[in-house]
Amino acid sequence: MSGLSLPLLLLVFAAAAGVIWVAGVQLSNQTDVLATRLHLGTALGGLVLLAIATNLPEIAITVSAALSGNLDVAVGNLLGGIAIQTVVLVALDAFGVKGRRPLMYRAASLVLVLEGALVVGVLAIVIAGSQLPDSLVVGGVGPASVLIAVLWVAGLLLLQRAQKGLPWHEQGNAPDGQDEPRGHSQAKTEAKATTDGTSTAKAASIFGVAALLTLVAGVVLERSGDAIADQVGLTGVLFGATVLAAATSLPELSTGLTSVKAGDHQLAVSDIFGGNAFLPVLFLLASLISGEAVLPQAQATDVYLTALAVLLTLVYMTGLVFRPGRRIARMGVDSMVVLVLYAVGVVGLVAIAGG
């Protein structure tokens, strides 16, 4: 796509982002229907299906970038995606939550704190793995990428157990939180599909078409975005961590707003934390495709983005524990802190990339 003019490239990029938005909504809806009807629920299979479905744009971009040798775009998009998807919670807090109490006050749950801890744990391995020598690989795969995948699966198993009940008062749910139990919006989505006469086969077909469109649009995003970055003089990591990551976060924004407006605050936060814990697993996929150990090639900007994502996650984990009740500019104090930290973080990212 490098031969296209900048206005045309921007149009292609915007069109691909639009496809990802629309297809992402269908992916989320049909995942709810299929998970409910196949009795996956919070089982490991359901959690894996949800993680894959909500991150298909990132999967497509990772595969496309690995095949074309643009590993810096893949790494920047994944690590930048974690930071910016955490910032999606700011938008959900400001534009989705009804009433006087902010998002983390309503969503407060020990299970969500554990999900945030899984994100932090996975990102700690990313930072450690980036410091390993290139020679420490087996079959083109570094040990850190494998350890990330193992920790992710182990974390899902622990979270599955935690969702069935914790040895705490009210099973770890804070008082005066959301009115209905976590996941009630998924059951309502399935009930609406049943009322509309949507069969399981039709839901699976819609899911398949939406997945295919998302994958194709993700590849178009990566290719057109790479060409745009070249024409405007942005480095691959800077573009991947900001504009590209924002475009691939559109499904999370749309589905998150739907969950929050339905009063399912815990599900909205869980989807963000769950997606953030899954994204580093794609380093293993990138290594297998490219035949190179990706993490040891991480640049200073990549490590910086990882640290920023850890910091933003810790702020929201603190919010889940302390439950600030005030709203400032329609958002909680924790969301305000996250927004400021991310803005400062992007300035620092530009300084590092420019240096």
Side-chain angles (χ1 to χ4, degrees), residues 20-26 28-29 88 92 249-261 272:
I20 285 178
W21 173 283
V22 175
V25 172
Q26 287 300 321
S28 176
N29 290 339
V88 165
L92 302 185
S249 297
L250 290 175
E252 285 81 2
L253 175 61
S254 176
T255 56
L257 285 173
T258 300
S259 296
V260 168
K261 289 180 179 179
I272 296 298

Side-chain angles (χ1 to χ4, degrees), residues 183-203:
H184 67 84
S185 61
Q186 293 178 319
K188 292 177 180 177
T189 299
E190 191 280 329
K192 183 178 184 302
T194 300
T195 302
D196 294 340
T198 303
S199 65
T200 302
K202 183 178 179 180

Side-chain angles (χ1 to χ4, degrees), residues 2-354:
S2 57
L4 299 179
S5 64
L6 182 58
L8 187 55
L9 284 171
L10 291 172
L11 181 61
V12 171
F13 186 89
V19 171
I20 285 178
W21 173 283
V22 175
V25 172
Q26 287 300 321
L27 278 173
S28 176
N29 290 339
Q30 304 315 317
T31 297
D32 291 346
V33 174
L34 294 173
T36 301
R37 293 184 180 176
L38 298 178
H39 306 290
L40 295 176
T42 57
L44 183 61
L47 295 174
V48 172
L49 176 64
L50 180 63
I52 293 175
T54 56
N55 288 285
L56 277 173
E58 287 84 359
I59 293 174
I61 289 173
T62 300
V63 172
S64 177
L67 289 173
S68 60
N70 293 326
L71 291 179
D72 59 335
V73 173
V75 174
N77 178 61
L78 291 178
L79 298 180
I82 295 172
I84 205 166
Q85 281 185 186
T86 307
V87 178
V88 165
L89 290 172
V90 175
L92 302 185
D93 197 359
F95 302 110
V97 178
K98 303 175 183 177
R100 295 183 300 172
R101 300 299 190 186
L103 178 60
M104 293 302 152
Y105 183 93
R106 293 294 187 189
S109 163
L110 289 181
V111 174
L112 290 179
V113 176
L114 290 175
E115 292 185 17
L118 177 59
V119 176
V120 172
V122 167
L123 294 182
I125 300 176
V126 170
I127 295 176
S130 68
Q131 304 305 305
L132 294 175
D134 295 341
S135 57
L136 192 59
V137 295
V138 178
V141 177
S145 297
V146 176
L147 184 56
I148 288 171
V150 171
L151 177 61
W152 178 67
V153 174
L156 289 186
L157 291 172
L158 288 175
L159 290 173
Q160 178 190 356
R161 179 176 178 180
Q163 289 177 17
K164 294 178 180 178
L166 288 171
W168 291 77
H169 181 65
E170 296 294 334
Q171 294 187 347
N173 292 317
D176 191 30
Q178 64 182 50
D179 297 327
E180 299 183 72
R182 168 175 167 166
H184 67 84
S185 61
Q186 293 178 319
K188 292 177 180 177
T189 299
E190 191 280 329
K192 183 178 184 302
T194 300
T195 302
D196 294 340
T198 303
S199 65
T200 302
K202 183 178 179 180
S205 299
I206 296 174
F207 180 92
V209 171
L212 180 61
L213 289 174
T214 302
L215 290 171
V216 173
V219 173
V220 174
L221 266 183
E222 189 272 325
R223 297 296 171 84
S224 60
D226 189 45
I228 291 172
D230 287 340
Q231 291 202 23
V232 300
L234 283 176
T235 62
V237 63
L238 185 58
F239 185 84
T242 53
V243 180
L244 191 58
T248 57
S249 297
L250 290 175
E252 285 81 2
L253 175 61
S254 176
T255 56
L257 285 173
T258 300
S259 296
V260 168
K261 289 180 179 179
D264 207 341
H265 307 94
Q266 291 183 2
L267 181 64
V269 178
S270 177
D271 285 348
I272 296 298
F273 281 174
N276 287 350
F278 171 74
L279 285 179
V281 178
L282 297 179
F283 285 124
L284 179 58
L285 178 62
S287 294
L288 291 172
I289 292 174
S290 65
E292 303 178 47
V294 177
L295 280 177
Q297 300 181 31
Q299 303 175 12
T301 47
D302 301 323
V303 178
Y304 176 88
L305 284 169
T306 306
L308 177 61
V310 169
L311 182 60
L312 300 183
T313 303
L314 287 173
V315 171
Y316 273 129
M317 290 173 64
T318 304
L320 287 168
V321 174
F322 284 91
R323 304 181 70 202
R326 294 183 56 191
R327 299 185 76 178
I328 303 173
R330 294 184 54 84
M331 68 184 75
V333 176
D334 44 13
S335 291
M336 179 67 72
V337 171
V338 165
L339 186 61
V340 171
L341 287 176
Y342 184 75
V344 173
V346 170
V347 172
L349 179 64
V350 173
I352 295 174

